[in-house]
Amino acid sequence: MNFRHIEIFHAVYVHGSVSAAANALNVSQPSVSKVLRHAEQTLGLELFQRTRGRLVPTQDAHALFAEVAEVHDKVRSLRQTSRNLRDGRGAVLRVSALPSLGLDLIPQAVASYLRQHSEVLFDLQTLHHDEILRKLYERETDVAISFHVPPGAPVAHRVIGEGELVVLYREEDMPEAPPRLSLDSLDGQRFISPVQAGPLGWLLSGEMERLGVTLQETVSARTYYVAAGLVKAGVGMAIVDNFTAEAARERGLSYRPLQPAIAYDINAVFLQSRPPSQAMSDFLDRLTAIIDAL
């Protein structure tokens, strides 16, 4: 498939008809039909079946769309970057962050940065630890904000702050909680377990093993904001990062750090061959300042 095939196929798949696709692309209906037929002939596949005036994707079309959508998005990003350069607009900062950091911390930093650098564009996305290398290698992101630095990979990192694990709970379940909570004092409480949830889960698991503590696991949640939602719903308590806890805190919910503290670094990870630009470094400075102020 050439790119014209991809563009027409994507438009027809998304909009559901030749006429709607033609309107979206600002071209004639006959040209859309002609390119679509040529794409099917080139592939040797039927991509759409006409049903009640609409084009219904075949199973082959569904399988093809995932790849086509990725190519289409990359080309759209390329066009946007080209327009920005042509129009003299500022840099595009592509930043990925863990979901727990994307709830509140990253939006705060972006809003603060844009107040003084309104010409800069941000391309933000969330990712999980096992996606860091792929997104960096495939140039989907310039910097990944993470609790973990992939070992043995050609990446560098900058420590931009520190966090710690906390116990998130409903105040009605622990109305007189002390300033800090030890793991052994939580024996008998129902817990949403994050033991399998990446590097912070590994930290917690190691500390529990060292202390010989076993918590009563009700549910295992691999994502911290899901664990926070379960706490709110009354399923139990959860040990999460302090950023998730702060973003999730509302009336009736509270959190306490652990004693002894279980701390972790927050890292900006990037390819050794592609260090941060000056604009990205300035943004990381702003992010560091916000973390330090929390």
Side-chain angles (χ1 to χ4, degrees), residues 5 7 34 44 59 72 77 83 97 103-104 109 114-115 120 143 166-167 179 198 207 221 258 267 280:
H5 293 155
E7 187 176 41
K34 180 179 178 181
Q59 288 301 315
H72 188 270
S77 177
R83 284 194 293 269
L103 286 170
D104 190 51
L114 287 177
R115 281 194 284 271
V120 172
V143 170
V166 301
V167 181
E207 183 69 4
L258 291 167
N267 306 283
M280 180 68 81

Side-chain angles (χ1 to χ4, degrees), residues 39-109:
E40 291 180 319
Q41 292 168 359
T42 301
L43 292 170
L45 299 171
E46 183 183 24
L47 298 176
F48 296 94
Q49 295 176 341
R50 185 171 293 280
T51 303
R52 296 179 181 177
R54 292 187 64 82
L55 293 179
V56 179
T58 63
Q59 288 301 315
D60 290 330
H62 288 310
L64 194 62
F65 183 74
E67 299 294 334
V68 164
E70 185 173 346
V71 173
H72 188 270
D73 288 345
K74 286 183 181 297
V75 172
R76 184 173 58 184
S77 177
L78 173 62
R79 286 174 172 168
Q80 181 63 55
T81 300
S82 300
R83 284 194 293 269
N84 294 340
L85 293 172
R86 181 195 63 203
D87 297 339
R89 300 191 66 177
V92 178
L93 302 186
R94 297 182 300 170
V95 181
S96 296
L98 300 174
S100 54
L101 300 176
L103 286 170
D104 190 51
L105 179 63
I106 298 298
Q108 282 191 55

Side-chain angles (χ1 to χ4, degrees), residues 1 4-5 8-9 12 18 28-48 50 55:
M1 297 179 75
R4 188 58 176 165
H5 293 155
I8 293 296
F9 168 68
V12 174
V18 168
S28 69
Q29 294 185 36
S31 67
V32 170
S33 297
K34 180 179 178 181
V35 173
L36 185 59
R37 282 196 304 272
H38 188 259
E40 291 180 319
Q41 292 168 359
T42 301
L43 292 170
L45 299 171
E46 183 183 24
L47 298 176
F48 296 94
R50 185 171 293 280
L55 293 179

Side-chain angles (χ1 to χ4, degrees), residues 146 158-163 243 264-268 284 287-288 291-292:
S146 167
R158 167 181 165 183
V159 177
I160 58 173
E162 186 178 85
F243 301 101
Y264 54 86
D265 287 336
I266 304 167
N267 306 283
L284 295 177
L287 184 56
T288 298
I291 293 171
D292 289 344

Side-chain angles (χ1 to χ4, degrees), residues 59-274:
Q59 288 301 315
D60 290 330
H62 288 310
L64 194 62
F65 183 74
E67 299 294 334
V68 164
E70 185 173 346
V71 173
H72 188 270
D73 288 345
K74 286 183 181 297
V75 172
R76 184 173 58 184
S77 177
L78 173 62
R79 286 174 172 168
Q80 181 63 55
T81 300
S82 300
R83 284 194 293 269
N84 294 340
L85 293 172
R86 181 195 63 203
D87 297 339
R89 300 191 66 177
V92 178
L93 302 186
R94 297 182 300 170
V95 181
S96 296
L98 300 174
S100 54
L101 300 176
L103 286 170
D104 190 51
L105 179 63
I106 298 298
Q108 282 191 55
V110 169
S112 175
Y113 186 83
L114 287 177
R115 281 194 284 271
Q116 293 182 319
H117 303 277
S118 59
E119 76 285 358
V120 172
L121 295 176
F122 279 89
D123 180 1
L124 304 175
Q125 56 184 303
T126 58
L127 83 173
H128 295 283
H129 288 97
D130 57 3
E131 298 177 300
I132 290 175
L133 288 179
R134 181 185 66 79
K135 286 187 178 290
L136 289 172
Y137 287 154
E138 296 182 4
R139 305 296 195 265
E140 290 185 29
T141 193
D142 299 319
V143 170
I145 310 299
S146 167
F147 304 143
H148 174 65
V149 179
V155 297
H157 73 282
R158 167 181 165 183
V159 177
I160 58 173
E162 186 178 85
E164 65 177 318
L165 293 181
V166 301
V167 181
L168 181 66
Y169 62 93
R170 293 192 307 172
E171 292 174 352
E172 65 186 85
D173 295 331
M174 197 161 41
E176 298 181 1
R180 285 186 174 267
L181 294 168
S182 63
L183 284 172
D184 55 9
S185 71
L186 302 174
D187 186 33
Q189 299 283 358
R190 294 181 304 156
F191 262 86
I192 296 100
S193 169
V195 168
Q196 301 179 41
L200 298 194
W202 305 332
L203 274 177
L204 176 60
S205 180
E207 183 69 4
M208 288 169 58
E209 184 175 344
R210 185 183 73 82
L211 297 175
V213 173
T214 302
L215 300 178
Q216 181 183 332
E217 181 180 321
T218 303
V219 179
S220 179
R222 293 174 181 251
T223 307
Y224 285 110
Y225 66 79
V226 173
L230 291 167
V231 173
K232 179 181 177 181
V235 174
M237 301 179 181
I239 297 177
V240 300
D241 65 279
N242 57 299
F243 301 101
T244 296
E246 184 62 31
R249 185 166 64 171
E250 57 182 55
R251 192 173 211 174
L253 288 185
S254 192
Y255 66 89
R256 294 289 187 274
L258 291 167
Q259 180 63 43
I262 302 180
Y264 54 86
D265 287 336
I266 304 167
N267 306 283
V269 184
F270 47 89
L271 292 176
Q272 292 175 352
S273 59
R274 299 187 71 207

